[in-house]
Amino acid sequence: MLFRSAVVELKNPWTTLQFFPESREMKLNGTLMWLNDSVTSVDGRWCINTTDQAKVIDPILRPSRHLGGISASVVLLDPGHGGEDPGALGRSGLQEERLTLDLAKRVRAKLVNAGIKALLTRDSDHTLGLESRAPMIRRTGAQVFVSLHFNSTASRSIYGVETYVLAPRGYDITAGGDSASRKSAANNGNRFDGANTALGYHIQRSLRLWLGSSHDRGVRRSRFAVLRDATCPAVLVECGFLSHAATEERLRSSAYMDSLAQRVADGIVEYTKAVRAARPPPRPPARK
């Protein structure tokens, strides 16, 4: 997290936007969001990129412009890794592939209880390649795709949760380092840039309200294969760091996993509500 020497705040009774000069970080109603470009000074005024206005802020403040033409009645949950690909490994032996499957099954149950059809890309511990996951969106008729993961890093002090959406065409991922060809490539998932942001925001906000702001690593930008190739709004959620001892210990608790699943499900439900609210009203029958 960057040290903030100044904050530019815009506020009304419903919304608070906080921008951090010379940074890609901002907060929207308290939830951290990563911009595509830094807040910069132009003629003595702090300015944001027009793409950030259109694809980061607008989808939350004016969702009807981005969600009005889509549906969200079928959710495809993707437990990351599996089989020959165990994913991250905690210091005490906790495996990401098993955690993601456990979490996905819990999220599915909670979505079904909320009246939402929910499916899994895998329902057992078997190998499922990256190239096989996104095509399942079309095969299942899914309208929302959520890939579930747990993080790991060399630093044992880093903790928190983060939600990734596809970076818009031509812009860097949050971590930087994308090649020019990757940045300029046209990806299926970019057709849903606004909806991706809305979905990511609702899930990350739900997790932040539960865990607290110190755990909020924000809605970030990447070009993960499952996001690039998605044919519906899609996000990838990193639900905690297995490399952080206290987090790994909490993830061993069934009660904690159930609460985590509830918060992910709550975020998805809020997104589906936003999609329904954005639909245009039905036209009255024509007079004869």
Side-chain angles (χ1 to χ4, degrees), residues 197-254:
T197 296
L199 175 59
Y201 169 78
H202 284 296
I203 293 175
Q204 187 67 21
R205 179 178 182 273
S206 179
L207 291 168
R208 175 187 66 82
L209 291 174
W210 172 50
L211 291 168
S213 293
S214 65
H215 290 259
D216 180 15
R217 291 176 56 83
V219 178
R220 296 174 172 235
R221 310 197 168 271
S222 75
R223 288 191 171 87
F224 296 134
V226 291
L227 303 184
R228 293 197 312 266
D229 300 335
T231 52
C232 71
V235 299
L236 185 149
V237 189
E238 294 280 6
C239 298
F241 282 78
L242 284 174
S243 48
H244 185 252
T247 299
E248 184 185 13
E249 185 61 30
R250 285 194 292 269
L251 290 170
R252 289 187 172 280
S253 162
S254 179

Side-chain angles (χ1 to χ4, degrees), residues 139-157:
R139 292 203 300 272
T140 60
Q143 298 154 339
V144 181
F145 179 84
V146 179
S147 190
L148 300 171
H149 288 256
F150 291 87
N151 227 333
S152 183
T153 182
S155 172
R156 303 294 185 184
S157 63

Side-chain angles (χ1 to χ4, degrees), residues 33 58 72 92 115 122 138 236 241-242 262 266 276 280:
M33 308 279 287
D58 204 53
S92 66
R122 65 179 181 96
R138 287 190 185 277
L236 185 149
F241 282 78
L242 284 174
Q262 185 66 64
D266 287 348
R276 288 198 298 271

